[in-house]
Amino acid sequence: MKKEIQKRDDVFMLVTQFYAKVRKDKMLGPIFNNAINDWPEHLERLTDFWESNLFFVAKFKGNPILKHRLVDAQNQHTIEPMHFGVWLRHWFTTIDTHFYGEKATLAKNRARNMSHLLYMKIYEARPKNNT
């Protein structure tokens, strides 16, 4: 049954359902599973991140841009917009399966904006080819 995103427990459920899909995805799974060693801790941090973004509480501490740049480097700078598109598709379908309402729409819009920003910041940090 769909519901509105109203509290941390809802955000945690969204994050855990979403990353269960990501971890199984043929394209994204290897990237995430190689980068993350402690999934329970990571899911709590991501819940903090999304709770901060959706409810404007100052819980998240971290540098997502730096982390994504490091993951791109670990993957020989092969992360492309297509990866973020697949990521967004999983995010949107997870939201649409479980939630509706203002916070669900906000979560989609924030993710869309974030995916663009993160890719641009990854791209900016890549070594420049002098050829």
Side-chain angles (χ1 to χ4, degrees):
M1 176 194 275
K2 286 188 183 187
K3 59 186 267 181
E4 292 196 42
I5 301 171
Q6 298 178 322
K7 58 188 184 215
R8 181 179 177 85
D9 289 346
D10 299 329
V11 177
F12 183 75
M13 193 272 275
L14 168 59
V15 166
T16 55
Q17 293 291 314
F18 167 69
Y19 278 101
K21 291 179 184 180
V22 167
R23 292 177 75 183
K24 293 177 188 171
D25 185 272
K26 290 177 185 174
M27 180 187 296
L28 301 180
I31 296 169
F32 280 85
N33 290 320
N34 288 332
I36 299 164
N37 297 320
D38 186 345
W39 274 100
E41 179 184 326
H42 192 67
L43 294 172
E44 287 294 332
R45 286 181 56 76
L46 289 169
T47 300
D48 289 347
F49 177 82
W50 283 104
E51 187 180 17
S52 297
N53 271 278
L54 297 175
F55 297 106
F56 309 106
V57 295
K59 283 194 174 180
F60 180 75
K61 292 176 179 56
N63 187 335
I65 293 170
L66 176 61
K67 292 291 184 187
H68 285 80
R69 285 176 169 173
L70 292 172
V71 170
D72 184 54
Q74 290 167 354
N75 286 277
Q76 290 72 48
H77 306 290
T78 58
I79 295 176
E80 295 296 332
M82 175 177 48
H83 292 93
F84 285 96
V86 172
W87 183 90
L88 279 173
R89 185 186 74 226
H90 287 306
W91 184 249
F92 281 28
T93 59
T94 305
I95 291 171
D96 290 342
T97 299
H98 300 285
F99 299 103
Y100 68 89
E102 182 182 325
K103 296 292 185 195
T105 300
L106 180 61
K108 289 178 182 180
N109 290 336
R110 291 272 164 102
R112 186 182 298 113
N113 293 338
M114 204 175 313
S115 68
H116 177 74
L117 172 70
L118 286 172
Y119 179 71
M120 294 310 298
K121 293 298 183 181
I122 285 171
Y123 186 79
E124 288 172 2
R126 287 183 175 170
K128 304 301 180 239
N129 193 348
N130 292 330
T131 58

